[in-house]
């Protein structure tokens, strides 16, 4: 059913007060195809899932299509690994909770990341030493031009740091319908990132449930709840620079965090760079940088997309001027 002038305030985690000219949900390939075929020629349209990685800079003068395919199904089990298919409309953290509850490891470090399963491959979400690509086996999607359903393997998705084929060659050309994961009954735990190991020990030792509880506790202590304070999680990407530039900066700032990524490249911590520029806890009007996590841009109430972009541009400029490093936005501007 198509709705007119639909408010999107509750469908974007920044809580920006915007609307879509038309709005409809789809539960499967057939419904999505029918909706696409019903659009007027030249109609602008977009897929909006959980709205956790987008920033609307104004009303959307087109059609918003919202995935409502929320099934989680076990496909196979060989005693060691289990294949699981999740619909694009499943809340990501619901999938993590389901996996942990069923003793399946691989995505527990990604607990409490907001958004839908369908967005996980697009962004190749990651946290605490794990990324979605580590467990994704394939992605089922509809190609817009041909209306053909295809299944892309992990390799065909061309995953990178917060990147995938869906952000590049297939951007605007494919809609994700479902994702298939390979989870483990005896997983290799990742504990040596941040405070995870310490928190897990405090909870009684290593287990899937304790890792999930630890990650939730850490994220909750550092990141604001979008239902209370509008935000999209990490607003900026961690920049990757040359070894030479990293070495130059380290001489000047010995306490600067850095992480080797191979091939003579080094990843820097955007939050640290922003914090050093004095932005943590600061505001520009109703938009601000969170007081506990400099990577997070927040809506203190009534901020427009333009307010948030103005703040982000100011932060980027300060980081560039002080460190000579460009930090890119992780959110998509609409």
């Amino acid at each position: 059913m198509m709705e007119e002038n639909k408010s999107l305030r509750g469908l974007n985690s920044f809580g920006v007060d915007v609307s879509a000219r038309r709005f409809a949900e789809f539960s499967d390939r057939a419904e999505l195809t029918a909706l696409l075929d019903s659009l007027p020629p030249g109609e602008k349209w977009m897929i909006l899932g959980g709205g956790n990685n987008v920033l609307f800079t104004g009303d959307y003068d087109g059609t918003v299509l919202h995935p409502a395919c929320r099934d989680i199904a076990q496909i196979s089990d060989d005693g060691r690994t289990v294949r699981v298919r999740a619909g694009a409309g499943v809340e990501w953290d619901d999938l993590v909770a389901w996996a942990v509850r069923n003793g399946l490891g691989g995505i527990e470090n990604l607990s409490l990341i907001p958004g839908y399963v369908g967005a996980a491959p697009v962004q190749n979400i990651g946290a605490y030493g794990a990324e979605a690509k580590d467990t994704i086996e394939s992605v089922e999607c509809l190609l817009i031009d041909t209306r053909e359903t295809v299944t892309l393997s992990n390799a065909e998705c061309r995953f990178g740091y917060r990147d995938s084929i869906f952000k590049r060659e297939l951007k605007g050309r494919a809609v994700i319908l479902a994702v298939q994961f390979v989870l483990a009954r005896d997983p290799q735990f990742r504990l040596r990132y941040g405070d995870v190991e310490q928190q897990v020990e405090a909870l009684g030792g290593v287990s899937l449930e304790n890792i999930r509880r630890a990650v939730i506790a850490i994220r909750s202590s550092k990141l604001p709840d979008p239902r209370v304070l509008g935000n999209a999680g990490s607003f900026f990407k961690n920049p990757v620079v040359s070894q030479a530039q990293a070495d130059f900066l380290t001489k000047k700032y010995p306490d600067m965090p850095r992480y080797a990524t191979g091939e003579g490249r080094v990843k820097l911590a955007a939050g640290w760079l922003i914090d050093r520029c004095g932005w943590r806890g600061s505001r520009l009007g109703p938009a601000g940088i969170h007081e506990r996590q400099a990577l997070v841009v927040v809506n203190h109430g009534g901020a427009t997309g333009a307010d948030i972009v103005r703040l982000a541009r100011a932060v980027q400029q300060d980081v560039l001027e002080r460190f000579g490093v460009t930090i890119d936005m992780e959110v998509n501007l609409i």
Side-chain angles (χ1 to χ4, degrees), residues 171-330:
K171 184 176 182 179
R173 297 180 53 215
V175 178
I176 294 175
L177 300 171
V179 183
Q180 187 159 303
F181 301 85
V182 177
L183 304 178
R185 293 201 176 279
D186 185 21
Q188 296 294 313
F189 298 121
R190 294 182 174 95
L191 302 175
R192 301 187 183 280
Y193 196 101
D195 302 325
V196 176
E197 188 170 26
Q198 181 179 350
Q199 285 275 1
V200 167
E201 288 303 316
L203 288 168
V206 179
S207 69
L208 285 173
E209 179 61 34
N210 283 348
I211 293 173
R212 173 167 165 77
R213 289 172 61 197
V215 170
I216 289 174
I218 294 169
R219 289 183 67 89
S220 297
S221 70
K222 294 181 178 180
L223 302 173
D225 185 339
R227 294 168 297 184
V228 178
L229 193 62
N231 73 92
S234 295
F235 192 92
F236 300 99
K237 295 180 184 179
N238 288 321
V240 178
V241 301
S242 68
Q243 183 79 48
Q245 186 175 9
D247 290 345
F248 172 80
L249 289 171
T250 300
K251 288 179 181 177
K252 193 171 182 180
Y253 306 99
D255 60 332
M256 182 187 72
R258 52 183 286 173
Y259 310 93
T261 63
E263 299 181 352
R265 307 290 286 173
V266 178
K267 181 164 63 177
L268 306 181
W272 186 91
L273 300 173
I274 296 166
D275 196 1
R276 276 303 181 98
C277 288
W279 276 101
R280 183 158 57 94
S282 298
R283 297 191 187 192
L284 274 183
I289 301 297
H290 193 248
E291 61 186 10
R292 295 197 304 270
Q293 174 51 269
L295 272 182
V296 179
V297 177
V298 297
N299 178 359
H300 285 289
T304 65
D307 291 329
I308 294 168
V309 170
R310 184 168 62 253
L311 170 70
R313 299 293 189 206
V315 170
Q316 288 176 312
Q317 185 62 33
D318 277 3
V319 170
L320 180 61
E321 289 179 358
R322 178 163 183 176
F323 297 102
V325 174
T326 298
I327 54 171
D328 294 324
M329 296 184 194
E330 193 166 318

Side-chain angles (χ1 to χ4, degrees), residues 131-203:
E131 291 181 303
K133 71 176 179 61
D134 301 333
T135 56
I136 290 176
E137 182 175 58
S138 61
V139 177
E140 180 185 326
C141 55
L142 177 75
L143 299 182
I144 304 305
D145 292 342
T146 63
R147 300 294 197 265
E148 176 188 6
T149 302
V150 298
T151 300
L152 302 182
S153 68
N154 183 293
E156 290 171 324
C157 290
R158 300 180 194 172
F159 291 120
Y161 173 63
R162 302 297 182 269
D163 194 22
S164 71
I165 193 173
F166 304 105
K167 294 183 74 172
R168 290 179 278 114
E169 294 93 330
L170 290 183
K171 184 176 182 179
R173 297 180 53 215
V175 178
I176 294 175
L177 300 171
V179 183
Q180 187 159 303
F181 301 85
V182 177
L183 304 178
R185 293 201 176 279
D186 185 21
Q188 296 294 313
F189 298 121
R190 294 182 174 95
L191 302 175
R192 301 187 183 280
Y193 196 101
D195 302 325
V196 176
E197 188 170 26
Q198 181 179 350
Q199 285 275 1
V200 167
E201 288 303 316
L203 288 168

